Amino acid sequence: GQNIDQPTEMTATEGAIVQINCTYQTSGFNGLFWYQQHAGEAPTFLSYNVLDGLEEKGRFSSFLSRSKGYSYLLLKELQMKDSASYLCASMDSNYQLIWGAGTKLIIKP
Amino acid sequence: GAVVSQHPSRVICKSGTSVKIECRSLDFQATTMFWYRQFPKQSLMLMATSNEGSKATYEQGVEKDKFLINHASLTLSTLTVTSAHPEDSSFYICSARDGASRETQYFGPGTRLLVL
């Protein structure tokens, strides 16, 4: 079956670093996506990895290991506005996104 | 970047009425559009996938006669919730795939439906 696992909730301190992990099992693989979703809003695209390795984009970086079915999203220099849910999604062989349940990130001052 | 709009952004209706939600891709041709539903504190749940000019493909457990989807053009898809009931109250989000890039989906801002 298809499955995406990520922690339900994480807490971090403003200015710190946090890593949100995601493991996936899908029928075929066409990439791993991370989205940010603030309460009451639609998801916004953060990153896309299809090859192994680390992709850095400002304060946010995303890592992928296809052999391990594993990805993480790394957020540096945390700001209060980073409080949101972070959704991991794997694209299967039909180019359909399989979504994780999301990780609620709480940033404390 | 590409933009997807949804209308209305918020709707309140009485139980038993039908509600239509529009999803438009504003600056690209969307060969495929996806309709999601999200209940509070839960993740996105794919309801159906619609391809322009053909019937939508519904996910298991989603009633196609209750959630009517029409994708009549490359820039417009509509979701009609027929005979809405309070349990249909949710956040409905569409996304559109650019025909030129199968990996890319752009999300609309969502429609919050409240059925009284």
Side-chain angles (χ1 to χ4, degrees), chain B residues 18-105:
Chain B
S18 294
V19 175
K20 179 187 282 189
I21 303 170
E22 292 187 348
C23 178
R24 293 181 185 273
S25 57
L26 299 184
D27 54 0
F28 66 98
Q29 293 188 330
T31 52
T32 305
M33 286 186 171
F34 304 88
W35 286 96
Y36 294 89
R37 180 167 55 182
Q38 186 175 36
F39 292 105
K41 298 183 180 181
Q42 295 186 24
S43 190
L44 297 171
M45 187 191 81
L46 179 65
M47 298 175 68
T49 302
S50 75
N51 292 295
E52 184 266 336
S54 62
K55 289 183 179 180
T57 301
Y58 289 81
E59 296 299 302
Q60 194 171 10
V62 179
E63 299 174 58
K64 61 181 181 181
D65 294 330
K66 180 170 180 63
F67 299 98
L68 302 178
I69 292 172
N70 184 283
H71 192 165
S73 78
L74 284 171
T75 60
L76 173 65
S77 176
T78 60
L79 167 68
T80 301
V81 184
T82 61
S83 186
H85 288 93
E87 58 265 31
D88 297 323
S89 298
S90 187
F91 191 43
Y92 291 86
I93 308 171
C94 75
S95 71
R97 176 185 290 166
D98 187 332
S101 172
R102 285 189 290 184
E103 295 82 18
T104 305
Q105 283 187 32

Coordinates of all heavy atoms in Angstrom, one line a residue, chain B residues 18-105:
Chain B
S18 N -27.8 23.1 -3.0 CA -26.6 22.8 -3.7 C -25.7 24.0 -3.8 O -26.1 25.1 -3.9 CB -27.0 22.3 -5.1 OG -27.7 21.1 -5.1
V19 N -24.4 23.7 -3.8 CA -23.4 24.7 -3.8 C -22.4 24.4 -4.9 O -21.9 23.3 -5.0 CB -22.6 24.8 -2.5 CG1 -21.5 25.8 -2.5 CG2 -23.6 25.2 -1.4
K20 N -22.1 25.4 -5.7 CA -21.1 25.3 -6.8 C -19.8 26.0 -6.5 O -19.9 27.2 -6.1 CB -21.7 25.7 -8.2 CG -20.6 25.6 -9.3 CD -21.1 26.2 -10.6 CE -22.1 25.3 -11.3 NZ -22.4 25.8 -12.6
I21 N -18.7 25.4 -6.6 CA -17.4 26.0 -6.4 C -16.6 26.0 -7.7 O -16.5 24.9 -8.3 CB -16.6 25.3 -5.3 CG1 -17.4 25.2 -4.0 CG2 -15.3 25.9 -5.1 CD1 -16.8 24.3 -2.9
E22 N -16.1 27.1 -8.1 CA -15.3 27.2 -9.3 C -13.8 27.3 -9.0 O -13.4 27.9 -8.1 CB -15.7 28.5 -10.1 CG -17.1 28.5 -10.6 CD -17.4 29.7 -11.5 OE1 -16.5 30.6 -11.5 OE2 -18.4 29.7 -12.2
C23 N -13.1 26.6 -9.9 CA -11.6 26.6 -9.8 C -11.1 27.0 -11.2 O -11.4 26.4 -12.2 CB -11.1 25.3 -9.4 SG -9.3 25.1 -9.3
R24 N -10.3 28.1 -11.2 CA -9.8 28.6 -12.5 C -8.3 28.7 -12.5 O -7.7 29.2 -11.5 CB -10.4 30.0 -12.8 CG -11.8 30.0 -13.1 CD -12.3 31.4 -13.4 NE -13.7 31.5 -13.6 CZ -14.4 31.2 -14.7 NH1 -13.7 30.9 -15.8 NH2 -15.7 31.3 -14.8
S25 N -7.6 28.3 -13.5 CA -6.2 28.5 -13.7 C -6.1 29.8 -14.5 O -6.7 29.9 -15.6 CB -5.5 27.4 -14.5 OG -6.1 27.1 -15.7
L26 N -5.4 30.8 -14.0 CA -5.5 32.1 -14.6 C -4.4 32.4 -15.7 O -4.6 33.2 -16.6 CB -5.3 33.2 -13.5 CG -6.4 33.1 -12.4 CD1 -6.2 34.3 -11.5 CD2 -7.8 33.2 -13.1
D27 N -3.3 31.7 -15.7 CA -2.3 32.0 -16.7 C -1.6 30.8 -17.2 O -0.5 30.8 -17.8 CB -1.2 33.0 -16.1 CG -0.7 32.4 -14.8 OD1 -1.0 31.3 -14.4 OD2 0.2 33.1 -14.2
F28 N -2.3 29.6 -17.2 CA -1.8 28.4 -17.8 C -2.9 27.5 -18.1 O -4.1 27.6 -17.6 CB -0.7 27.7 -16.9 CG -1.3 27.2 -15.6 CD1 -1.6 25.8 -15.5 CD2 -1.5 28.0 -14.5 CE1 -2.1 25.3 -14.3 CE2 -2.0 27.5 -13.3 CZ -2.3 26.1 -13.2
Q29 N -2.7 26.5 -18.9 CA -3.7 25.5 -19.3 C -3.6 24.3 -18.3 O -2.5 23.7 -18.3 CB -3.5 25.1 -20.7 CG -3.8 26.2 -21.7 CD -3.8 25.8 -23.1 OE1 -3.2 24.8 -23.5 NE2 -4.6 26.4 -24.0
A30 N -4.6 24.1 -17.6 CA -4.7 23.0 -16.7 C -5.3 21.8 -17.2 O -6.6 21.7 -17.3 CB -5.4 23.4 -15.4
T31 N -4.5 20.8 -17.7 CA -5.1 19.6 -18.3 C -5.7 18.8 -17.2 O -6.7 18.0 -17.5 CB -4.0 18.8 -19.0 OG1 -2.9 18.6 -18.1 CG2 -3.6 19.5 -20.3
T32 N -5.2 18.9 -16.0 CA -5.8 18.1 -14.9 C -6.0 19.0 -13.7 O -5.1 19.8 -13.4 CB -4.8 17.0 -14.5 OG1 -4.5 16.1 -15.6 CG2 -5.4 16.1 -13.4
M33 N -7.1 18.8 -13.1 CA -7.4 19.5 -11.8 C -7.8 18.5 -10.7 O -8.4 17.5 -11.0 CB -8.5 20.5 -12.0 CG -8.1 21.8 -12.8 SD -9.4 23.0 -12.9 CE -8.5 24.4 -13.6
F34 N -7.4 18.8 -9.5 CA -7.7 18.0 -8.4 C -8.6 18.7 -7.4 O -8.4 19.9 -7.2 CB -6.4 17.6 -7.7 CG -5.4 16.9 -8.6 CD1 -4.5 17.7 -9.3 CD2 -5.3 15.5 -8.8 CE1 -3.6 17.1 -10.2 CE2 -4.4 15.0 -9.6 CZ -3.5 15.7 -10.3
W35 N -9.5 17.9 -6.8 CA -10.3 18.5 -5.7 C -10.0 17.8 -4.4 O -10.1 16.5 -4.4 CB -11.8 18.4 -6.1 CG -12.2 19.3 -7.2 CD1 -12.3 19.1 -8.5 CD2 -12.6 20.7 -7.0 NE1 -12.7 20.2 -9.2 CE2 -12.9 21.2 -8.3 CE3 -12.7 21.5 -5.9 CZ2 -13.3 22.6 -8.4 CZ3 -13.1 22.9 -6.0 CH2 -13.4 23.4 -7.3
Y36 N -9.7 18.6 -3.4 CA -9.4 18.1 -2.1 C -10.4 18.6 -1.1 O -11.1 19.6 -1.3 CB -8.0 18.5 -1.6 CG -6.9 18.0 -2.4 CD1 -6.4 18.7 -3.6 CD2 -6.2 16.9 -2.0 CE1 -5.3 18.2 -4.3 CE2 -5.1 16.4 -2.7 CZ -4.7 17.1 -3.9 OH -3.6 16.6 -4.6
R37 N -10.6 17.8 0.0 CA -11.4 18.3 1.1 C -10.5 18.2 2.3 O -9.7 17.2 2.5 CB -12.6 17.4 1.2 CG -13.5 17.8 2.4 CD -14.9 17.1 2.3 NE -14.7 15.6 2.2 CZ -15.8 14.8 2.0 NH1 -17.0 15.3 1.9 NH2 -15.6 13.5 1.9
Q38 N -10.6 19.1 3.2 CA -9.8 19.1 4.5 C -10.7 19.4 5.7 O -11.2 20.6 5.7 CB -8.6 20.0 4.4 CG -7.7 19.9 5.5 CD -6.4 20.8 5.4 OE1 -6.5 21.9 4.8 NE2 -5.3 20.3 5.8
F39 N -10.8 18.5 6.6 CA -11.5 18.8 7.8 C -10.6 19.4 8.8 O -9.3 19.2 8.7 CB -12.2 17.5 8.3 CG -13.3 17.0 7.5 CD1 -13.1 15.9 6.6 CD2 -14.5 17.6 7.4 CE1 -14.2 15.4 5.8 CE2 -15.6 17.2 6.6 CZ -15.4 16.1 5.8
P40 N -11.1 20.0 9.8 CA -10.2 20.7 10.8 C -9.1 19.8 11.4 O -9.5 18.6 11.8 CB -11.2 21.2 11.9 CG -12.4 21.4 11.1 CD -12.5 20.3 10.1
K41 N -7.9 20.2 11.4 CA -6.8 19.5 12.0 C -6.5 18.2 11.3 O -5.9 17.3 11.9 CB -7.0 19.3 13.5 CG -7.1 20.6 14.3 CD -7.3 20.3 15.8 CE -7.4 21.7 16.5 NZ -7.5 21.5 18.0
Q42 N -6.9 18.0 10.1 CA -6.6 16.8 9.3 C -5.9 17.2 8.0 O -5.9 18.4 7.6 CB -7.9 16.0 9.0 CG -8.6 15.5 10.2 CD -9.8 14.6 9.9 OE1 -9.9 14.0 8.8 NE2 -10.7 14.4 10.8
S43 N -5.3 16.2 7.4 CA -4.6 16.5 6.2 C -5.6 16.6 5.0 O -6.8 16.3 5.1 CB -3.5 15.5 5.9 OG -2.7 15.9 4.9
L44 N -5.0 16.9 3.9 CA -5.8 17.0 2.6 C -6.3 15.6 2.2 O -5.5 14.6 2.3 CB -4.9 17.5 1.5 CG -4.4 19.0 1.6 CD1 -3.4 19.3 0.5 CD2 -5.6 20.0 1.6
M45 N -7.5 15.5 1.8 CA -8.0 14.3 1.3 C -8.4 14.5 -0.1 O -9.3 15.3 -0.4 CB -9.2 13.8 2.1 CG -9.7 12.4 1.8 SD -11.3 12.0 2.5 CE -12.4 12.8 1.4
L46 N -7.8 13.7 -1.0 CA -8.2 13.8 -2.4 C -9.5 13.3 -2.7 O -9.8 12.1 -2.3 CB -7.1 13.1 -3.3 CG -7.4 13.1 -4.8 CD1 -7.3 14.6 -5.4 CD2 -6.4 12.2 -5.5
M47 N -10.4 14.1 -3.3 CA -11.8 13.6 -3.6 C -11.8 13.1 -5.0 O -12.4 12.0 -5.2 CB -12.7 14.8 -3.5 CG -12.8 15.4 -2.1 SD -13.9 16.8 -2.1 CE -15.5 16.1 -2.4
A48 N -11.3 13.8 -5.9 CA -11.4 13.4 -7.3 C -10.4 14.1 -8.2 O -9.8 15.1 -7.8 CB -12.8 13.7 -7.9
T49 N -10.1 13.5 -9.3 CA -9.2 14.0 -10.3 C -10.0 14.2 -11.6 O -10.7 13.3 -12.0 CB -8.0 13.0 -10.6 OG1 -7.3 12.8 -9.4 CG2 -7.1 13.6 -11.6
S50 N -9.9 15.4 -12.1 CA -10.6 15.7 -13.4 C -9.7 16.1 -14.5 O -8.8 16.9 -14.3 CB -11.7 16.7 -13.2 OG -11.1 18.0 -13.1
N51 N -9.9 15.5 -15.6 CA -9.2 15.8 -16.8 C -10.1 16.5 -17.8 O -11.3 16.1 -18.0 CB -8.6 14.6 -17.5 CG -7.5 13.9 -16.6 OD1 -6.5 14.5 -16.4 ND2 -7.8 12.7 -16.1
E52 N -9.6 17.5 -18.4 CA -10.4 18.3 -19.3 C -11.1 17.5 -20.4 O -10.4 16.7 -21.1 CB -9.5 19.4 -20.0 CG -10.3 20.4 -20.9 CD -10.3 20.0 -22.3 OE1 -9.4 19.3 -22.7 OE2 -11.2 20.4 -23.0
G53 N -12.4 17.6 -20.5 CA -13.1 16.9 -21.5 C -13.5 15.5 -21.2 O -14.1 14.8 -22.0
S54 N -13.2 15.0 -20.0 CA -13.5 13.6 -19.7 C -14.1 13.6 -18.3 O -14.1 14.5 -17.5 CB -12.3 12.7 -19.8 OG -11.3 13.1 -18.9
K55 N -14.7 12.4 -18.0 CA -15.3 12.3 -16.6 C -14.3 12.2 -15.5 O -13.1 11.7 -15.7 CB -16.1 11.0 -16.6 CG -17.4 11.0 -17.4 CD -18.1 9.7 -17.3 CE -19.4 9.7 -18.1 NZ -20.2 8.4 -17.9
A56 N -14.6 12.7 -14.4 CA -13.7 12.8 -13.3 C -13.5 11.4 -12.7 O -14.4 10.5 -12.8 CB -14.2 13.7 -12.2
T57 N -12.4 11.1 -12.1 CA -12.1 9.9 -11.4 C -12.2 10.2 -9.9 O -11.4 11.0 -9.4 CB -10.7 9.4 -11.7 OG1 -10.5 9.2 -13.2 CG2 -10.4 8.1 -11.0
Y58 N -13.1 9.5 -9.3 CA -13.4 9.7 -7.9 C -12.6 8.7 -7.0 O -12.4 7.6 -7.3 CB -14.9 9.6 -7.6 CG -15.7 10.7 -8.1 CD1 -16.0 10.7 -9.5 CD2 -16.1 11.8 -7.3 CE1 -16.8 11.8 -10.0 CE2 -16.8 12.8 -7.9 CZ -17.2 12.8 -9.2 OH -17.9 13.9 -9.7
E59 N -12.2 9.2 -5.9 CA -11.5 8.3 -4.9 C -12.5 7.5 -4.2 O -13.7 7.8 -4.1 CB -10.7 9.2 -3.9 CG -9.6 10.0 -4.5 CD -8.5 9.1 -5.2 OE1 -8.0 8.2 -4.5 OE2 -8.3 9.3 -6.4
Q60 N -12.0 6.4 -3.6 CA -12.9 5.5 -2.9 C -13.6 6.2 -1.8 O -13.0 6.9 -1.0 CB -12.1 4.3 -2.4 CG -12.9 3.1 -2.0 CD -12.1 1.9 -1.6 OE1 -10.9 2.0 -1.6 NE2 -12.7 0.7 -1.5
G61 N -14.9 6.0 -1.7 CA -15.7 6.5 -0.6 C -16.3 7.9 -0.9 O -17.1 8.4 -0.1
V62 N -16.0 8.5 -2.1 CA -16.5 9.8 -2.5 C -17.7 9.5 -3.4 O -17.5 8.9 -4.5 CB -15.4 10.6 -3.1 CG1 -16.0 12.0 -3.6 CG2 -14.3 10.9 -2.2
E63 N -18.8 10.0 -3.1 CA -20.0 9.8 -3.9 C -20.0 10.7 -5.1 O -20.2 11.9 -5.0 CB -21.3 10.1 -3.1 CG -21.4 9.2 -1.9 CD -22.6 9.6 -1.0 OE1 -23.7 9.6 -1.6 OE2 -22.4 10.0 0.1
K64 N -19.9 10.1 -6.3 CA -19.9 11.0 -7.5 C -21.2 11.7 -7.8 O -21.2 12.7 -8.5 CB -19.5 10.1 -8.7 CG -20.4 9.0 -9.0 CD -19.9 8.2 -10.3 CE -20.8 7.1 -10.6 NZ -20.3 6.3 -11.8
D65 N -22.3 11.1 -7.3 CA -23.6 11.8 -7.6 C -23.8 12.9 -6.6 O -24.7 13.8 -6.8 CB -24.7 10.8 -7.4 CG -24.7 9.7 -8.5 OD1 -24.2 10.0 -9.6 OD2 -25.1 8.5 -8.2
K66 N -23.1 12.9 -5.5 CA -23.2 14.0 -4.6 C -22.2 15.2 -4.9 O -22.5 16.3 -4.7 CB -23.0 13.5 -3.2 CG -23.1 14.6 -2.1 CD -23.1 14.0 -0.7 CE -23.2 15.1 0.3 NZ -24.5 15.9 0.2
F67 N -21.0 14.8 -5.3 CA -20.0 15.8 -5.6 C -19.8 15.7 -7.2 O -19.0 15.0 -7.7 CB -18.7 15.5 -4.9 CG -18.9 15.5 -3.4 CD1 -19.1 14.3 -2.7 CD2 -18.8 16.7 -2.7 CE1 -19.2 14.4 -1.3 CE2 -19.0 16.7 -1.3 CZ -19.2 15.6 -0.6
L68 N -20.5 16.6 -7.8 CA -20.5 16.7 -9.3 C -19.3 17.5 -9.7 O -19.2 18.7 -9.3 CB -21.8 17.2 -9.8 CG -23.0 16.4 -9.5 CD1 -24.3 17.1 -10.0 CD2 -23.0 15.0 -9.9
I69 N -18.5 17.0 -10.6 CA -17.3 17.7 -11.1 C -17.4 17.8 -12.6 O -17.7 16.9 -13.3 CB -16.0 17.0 -10.7 CG1 -15.8 17.1 -9.2 CG2 -14.8 17.6 -11.4 CD1 -14.7 16.2 -8.7
N70 N -17.2 19.0 -13.1 CA -17.2 19.3 -14.5 C -15.9 20.1 -14.8 O -15.5 21.0 -14.2 CB -18.4 20.2 -14.8 CG -18.5 20.5 -16.3 OD1 -17.8 21.3 -16.9 ND2 -19.4 19.7 -17.0
H71 N -15.2 19.6 -15.8 CA -14.0 20.2 -16.3 C -14.1 20.5 -17.8 O -13.5 19.8 -18.6 CB -12.8 19.2 -16.0 CG -11.5 19.9 -16.1 ND1 -10.3 19.3 -15.6 CD2 -11.0 21.0 -16.7 CE1 -9.3 20.0 -15.9 NE2 -9.7 21.1 -16.5
A72 N -14.9 21.5 -18.1 CA -15.3 21.8 -19.4 C -14.3 22.5 -20.3 O -14.3 22.4 -21.5 CB -16.6 22.6 -19.4
S73 N -13.3 23.1 -19.6 CA -12.3 23.8 -20.4 C -11.0 23.6 -19.7 O -10.9 23.1 -18.6 CB -12.6 25.3 -20.5 OG -12.3 26.0 -19.3
L74 N -9.9 24.1 -20.4 CA -8.6 23.9 -19.9 C -8.2 24.9 -18.7 O -7.2 24.9 -18.2 CB -7.5 24.1 -21.0 CG -7.4 22.9 -21.9 CD1 -6.5 23.2 -23.1 CD2 -6.8 21.7 -21.2
T75 N -9.2 25.8 -18.4 CA -8.9 26.8 -17.4 C -10.0 26.7 -16.3 O -9.9 27.5 -15.3 CB -8.9 28.2 -17.9 OG1 -10.1 28.5 -18.6 CG2 -7.7 28.3 -18.9
L76 N -11.0 25.9 -16.4 CA -12.1 25.9 -15.4 C -12.6 24.5 -15.1 O -12.9 23.7 -15.9 CB -13.3 26.7 -16.0 CG -14.6 26.7 -15.2 CD1 -14.3 27.4 -13.8 CD2 -15.7 27.4 -15.9
S77 N -12.7 24.3 -13.8 CA -13.3 23.1 -13.3 C -14.3 23.5 -12.2 O -14.0 24.5 -11.4 CB -12.3 22.1 -12.7 OG -12.9 21.0 -12.1
T78 N -15.4 22.8 -12.1 CA -16.4 23.2 -11.0 C -16.7 21.9 -10.2 O -16.7 20.8 -10.7 CB -17.7 23.7 -11.6 OG1 -18.3 22.8 -12.5 CG2 -17.4 25.0 -12.4
L79 N -16.9 22.2 -8.9 CA -17.4 21.1 -8.0 C -18.7 21.6 -7.5 O -18.8 22.7 -6.9 CB -16.4 21.0 -6.9 CG -16.8 20.1 -5.7 CD1 -17.0 18.7 -6.0 CD2 -15.9 20.3 -4.5
T80 N -19.7 20.8 -7.6 CA -21.1 21.1 -7.1 C -21.4 20.1 -6.0 O -21.4 18.9 -6.3 CB -22.1 21.0 -8.2 OG1 -21.8 21.9 -9.2 CG2 -23.5 21.4 -7.6
V81 N -21.6 20.6 -4.8 CA -22.0 19.8 -3.7 C -23.5 19.8 -3.7 O -24.2 20.8 -3.4 CB -21.5 20.3 -2.4 CG1 -21.9 19.4 -1.2 CG2 -20.0 20.5 -2.4
T82 N -24.1 18.6 -4.1 CA -25.6 18.6 -4.2 C -26.2 18.2 -2.9 O -25.7 17.4 -2.1 CB -26.0 17.6 -5.3 OG1 -25.5 16.3 -4.9 CG2 -25.4 17.9 -6.6
S83 N -27.4 18.8 -2.6 CA -28.1 18.5 -1.4 C -27.2 18.4 -0.2 O -27.0 17.4 0.5 CB -28.9 17.2 -1.5 OG -29.7 16.9 -0.4
A84 N -26.5 19.6 0.0 CA -25.5 19.6 1.1 C -26.1 19.4 2.5 O -27.2 19.8 2.8 CB -24.8 21.0 1.0
H85 N -25.3 18.8 3.3 CA -25.7 18.5 4.7 C -24.6 19.0 5.6 O -23.5 19.3 5.2 CB -26.0 17.0 4.9 CG -27.2 16.6 4.3 ND1 -27.3 16.0 3.0 CD2 -28.5 16.6 4.7 CE1 -28.5 15.7 2.7 NE2 -29.3 16.0 3.7
P86 N -24.9 19.2 6.9 CA -23.9 19.8 7.8 C -22.6 19.0 7.8 O -21.5 19.6 8.0 CB -24.6 19.7 9.2 CG -26.1 19.9 8.8 CD -26.3 19.2 7.5
E87 N -22.7 17.7 7.6 CA -21.4 16.9 7.6 C -20.5 17.2 6.4 O -19.4 16.8 6.3 CB -21.7 15.4 7.7 CG -22.6 14.9 6.6 CD -24.0 14.8 7.0 OE1 -24.5 15.7 7.8 OE2 -24.8 13.9 6.5
D88 N -21.1 17.9 5.4 CA -20.3 18.3 4.2 C -19.5 19.6 4.5 O -18.7 20.1 3.6 CB -21.2 18.6 3.0 CG -22.0 17.3 2.6 OD1 -21.3 16.2 2.7 OD2 -23.1 17.4 2.2
S89 N -19.8 20.2 5.6 CA -19.0 21.5 6.0 C -17.6 21.1 6.0 O -17.2 20.2 6.8 CB -19.5 22.0 7.3 OG -20.9 22.4 7.2
S90 N -16.8 21.9 5.3 CA -15.3 21.5 5.2 C -14.6 22.6 4.4 O -15.3 23.6 4.0 CB -15.1 20.2 4.5 OG -13.8 19.8 4.6
F91 N -13.4 22.5 4.3 CA -12.5 23.4 3.5 C -12.2 22.6 2.2 O -11.6 21.5 2.2 CB -11.2 23.7 4.2 CG -10.4 24.8 3.7 CD1 -10.9 25.9 3.2 CD2 -9.0 24.6 3.7 CE1 -10.1 27.0 2.7 CE2 -8.2 25.7 3.2 CZ -8.8 26.8 2.7
Y92 N -12.7 23.1 1.1 CA -12.5 22.5 -0.2 C -11.4 23.2 -1.0 O -11.5 24.5 -1.2 CB -13.8 22.5 -1.0 CG -14.9 21.6 -0.4 CD1 -15.7 22.0 0.6 CD2 -15.0 20.3 -0.8 CE1 -16.6 21.2 1.2 CE2 -15.9 19.4 -0.2 CZ -16.7 19.9 0.8 OH -17.7 19.1 1.4
I93 N -10.4 22.5 -1.5 CA -9.3 23.1 -2.1 C -9.1 22.4 -3.5 O -9.2 21.2 -3.6 CB -8.0 22.9 -1.3 CG1 -8.2 23.4 0.1 CG2 -6.8 23.7 -2.0 CD1 -7.0 23.1 1.0
C94 N -8.9 23.2 -4.5 CA -8.6 22.7 -5.8 C -7.1 22.9 -6.1 O -6.5 23.8 -5.6 CB -9.5 23.3 -6.9 SG -9.0 24.9 -7.4
S95 N -6.6 22.1 -6.9 CA -5.3 22.3 -7.5 C -5.3 22.0 -9.0 O -6.1 21.2 -9.4 CB -4.2 21.5 -6.7 OG -4.3 20.2 -7.1
A96 N -4.4 22.6 -9.7 CA -4.3 22.5 -11.1 C -2.9 22.1 -11.6 O -1.9 22.6 -11.0 CB -4.8 23.8 -11.8
R97 N -2.9 21.2 -12.5 CA -1.6 20.7 -13.0 C -1.4 21.4 -14.3 O -2.2 21.3 -15.2 CB -1.5 19.2 -13.1 CG -0.2 18.7 -13.8 CD -0.4 17.2 -14.0 NE -0.3 16.5 -12.8 CZ -0.7 15.2 -12.6 NH1 -1.1 14.5 -13.7 NH2 -0.6 14.6 -11.5
D98 N -0.2 22.0 -14.5 CA 0.2 22.6 -15.7 C 0.4 21.5 -16.8 O 1.2 20.6 -16.5 CB 1.4 23.5 -15.5 CG 1.8 24.3 -16.7 OD1 1.5 23.9 -17.9 OD2 2.4 25.3 -16.6
G99 N -0.2 21.6 -17.9 CA -0.1 20.6 -18.9 C 1.4 20.4 -19.3 O 1.7 19.3 -19.8
A100 N 2.2 21.4 -19.2 CA 3.6 21.3 -19.6 C 4.5 20.6 -18.6 O 5.6 20.2 -18.9 CB 4.1 22.7 -19.9
S101 N 4.0 20.4 -17.4 CA 4.8 19.9 -16.3 C 4.0 19.0 -15.4 O 3.3 19.5 -14.6 CB 5.5 21.0 -15.5 OG 6.2 20.5 -14.4
R102 N 4.1 17.7 -15.5 CA 3.3 16.8 -14.7 C 3.6 16.9 -13.2 O 2.8 16.4 -12.4 CB 3.4 15.4 -15.2 CG 2.6 15.2 -16.5 CD 2.6 13.7 -16.9 NE 3.9 13.2 -17.3 CZ 4.0 12.0 -17.7 NH1 3.0 11.2 -17.8 NH2 5.2 11.6 -18.1
E103 N 4.8 17.4 -12.9 CA 5.2 17.4 -11.5 C 4.7 18.6 -10.7 O 4.7 18.6 -9.5 CB 6.8 17.4 -11.3 CG 7.5 16.1 -11.8 CD 7.7 16.2 -13.3 OE1 7.6 17.3 -13.9 OE2 7.9 15.1 -13.9
T104 N 4.2 19.5 -11.4 CA 3.8 20.8 -10.8 C 2.3 20.9 -10.6 O 1.5 20.8 -11.6 CB 4.3 22.0 -11.7 OG1 5.7 21.8 -11.9 CG2 4.1 23.3 -11.0
Q105 N 1.9 21.2 -9.4 CA 0.5 21.5 -9.1 C 0.5 22.8 -8.4 O 1.3 23.1 -7.5 CB -0.1 20.4 -8.1 CG -0.4 19.1 -8.8 CD -1.2 18.2 -7.8 OE1 -1.9 18.6 -7.0 NE2 -0.9 16.9 -8.0

